[in-house]
Amino acid sequence: MVIAARPLEPALYLVATPIGNLGDITLRALETLAGADVLACEDTRVTRVLLDRFGIQNRPYSYHEYNANEAGPKLIAALEAGRSVALVSDAGTPLVSDPGYRLGQLAIEAGHRVVPIPGASAPLAALVGSGLPNDAFLFAGFLPVKDKARHERLAQLREVPATLIFFESPHRIGDTLAAAADELGAERPASVCRELTKTFEEFRRGSLRELADLYADRTVKGEVVLVVGPPLEKPAPEAGEIDRILAELGETLPTAKAATEAARLTGLPRKDLYQRLLELKGST
C-alpha cells in the first residue's frame, strides 16, 4: 500500500495516530502525513514504523519535551515560510498529555491555522469500553507521583459530577486505586483499561475497593487508563436529620452561610434550607 502525497495548505496539522493497532489510522491522517512539508514527531523511530507500514517516504523531524524550546521556533518559522507542518505524538491524539500543546499555542498566537485530524484517543477508547456513564466526563491526565499530592488531587475531584479518566503508570496503578477508594469512595464503580487496541487488551471492572484489592500485589505491564464513574447519589436525609444539621450549623454560622453549607452536605436546594432554618429560629 502506497499513500499519495497531496499538497497541503500552510497550517499546523495535529494528526492522531493509532494507540496500538496500526489499522486504526485514518485515510485523512495518512494523506496528511504523506503530504506535509514538515513532519514533526516525539520519537522518529516510533513514527518511522508507522510510515514504513503505509509506504510513506516523508522524513520525520524530532519534536519532544526535551527539545521543544529549540525545535518549536523552527517549526513556527516553517509555517511563517508558507509550509505545512504535521505534528504527531507516539500514539493517540497530539497535545493530550504531551508537549505539543506549546507548539499549538505558538502557532495560534502567530496567527496560523491549526487543523485537527481526528482519530485514535486512549481516553475515549477507555471511556466507551468501560461501561461507565459517558454523558459527562473529565480527563484528568496523570495523577501526582507522591502519595500526599495524589490524595489531595483526588480529594479535589471527589464531587465533580462526571466520569473521571486518568492515565496511570502500570507500576503505580495499585497505589492509585487504593488512594482513589479512600478519597472518591470505595463503592464507586471503575474500570482499569489496559493495552487498548492491542493483542492483550483488557478491561477489569468493579468498585474501587474491589479493584484496589485486585491490583494491590498484582504485576501489571503495558499502558493503563483508569476510568472512575461519577459520584454515587446520596440518599436524601430525613426531615429530622435535616433539622438537626440546620440547627447545628445555625449555632455558629449566619443563616445564609448555614443554608449554603447544609445544601452542600445534603444535596438539597439552598433556598428551601434557608427558609426552613428561618422557621426553626422563629420557633425558638
Side-chain angles (χ1 to χ4, degrees):
M1 181 179 182
V2 177
I3 301 297
R6 298 193 303 178
L8 296 174
E9 295 183 7
L12 173 62
Y13 295 84
L14 306 175
V15 185
T17 57
I19 58 176
N21 190 323
L22 294 184
D24 291 337
I25 192 73
T26 69
L27 291 176
R28 187 182 178 203
L30 291 174
E31 291 174 352
T32 303
L33 296 180
D37 295 319
V38 180
L39 173 55
C41 64
E42 276 189 274
D43 188 324
T44 57
R45 296 165 297 180
V46 173
T47 300
R48 187 75 264 164
V49 171
L50 177 65
L51 299 179
D52 289 346
R53 170 66 175 79
F54 294 100
I56 296 174
Q57 302 300 314
N58 211 342
R59 180 180 178 182
Y61 173 83
S62 180
Y63 174 84
H64 49 71
E65 179 181 1
Y66 302 104
N67 75 346
N69 290 336
E70 177 184 352
K74 292 181 179 179
L75 295 174
I76 297 300
L79 292 172
E80 296 284 358
R83 308 181 75 191
S84 58
V85 176
L87 174 69
V88 300
S89 59
D90 284 350
T93 302
L95 277 64
V96 178
S97 288
D98 75 40
Y101 169 73
R102 283 178 278 172
L103 182 62
Q105 273 191 319
L106 290 173
I108 291 171
E109 290 170 359
H112 300 292
R113 286 182 63 213
V114 174
V115 181
I117 309 295
S121 168
L124 292 180
L127 176 65
V128 298
S130 69
L132 295 168
N134 54 30
D135 56 328
F137 59 90
L138 170 68
F139 173 62
F142 284 96
L143 287 166
V145 174
K146 293 186 177 180
D147 187 63
K148 181 181 178 182
R150 184 191 297 124
H151 276 266
E152 290 175 348
R153 176 58 176 154
L154 287 167
Q156 292 171 353
L157 299 171
R158 183 184 300 130
E159 301 300 328
V160 173
T163 293
L164 306 177
I165 306 172
F166 304 95
F167 283 161
E168 191 49 276
S169 165
H171 67 268
R172 286 199 299 268
I173 185 63
D175 291 339
T176 291
L177 286 165
D182 289 342
E183 298 296 342
L184 302 179
E187 298 308 312
R188 277 177 73 162
S191 178
V192 176
C193 314
R194 189 178 66 84
E195 293 291 85
L196 293 170
T197 78
K198 300 176 184 177
T199 302
F200 299 104
E201 178 180 84
E202 178 183 67
F203 291 88
R204 294 278 184 173
R205 304 176 180 91
S207 70
L208 281 172
R209 176 53 60 203
E210 290 170 340
L211 291 172
D213 291 342
L214 178 64
Y215 284 91
D217 300 309
R218 189 184 185 94
T219 300
V220 181
K221 295 182 180 180
E223 298 178 346
V224 176
V225 182
L226 172 61
V227 185
V228 181
L232 299 174
E233 291 188 11
K234 300 177 182 178
E238 296 182 357
E241 177 66 10
I242 295 172
D243 286 353
R244 184 190 65 79
I245 293 172
L246 287 170
E248 290 182 357
L249 291 172
E251 290 179 357
T252 57
L253 295 173
T255 303
K257 288 186 177 180
T260 299
E261 179 63 12
R264 187 188 70 80
L265 293 172
T266 65
L268 297 174
R270 177 186 176 280
K271 181 180 178 181
D272 294 346
L273 294 168
Y274 180 82
Q275 184 61 40
R276 179 55 182 161
L277 183 53
L278 290 178
E279 293 173 0
L280 290 173
K281 287 188 174 183
S283 63
T284 57

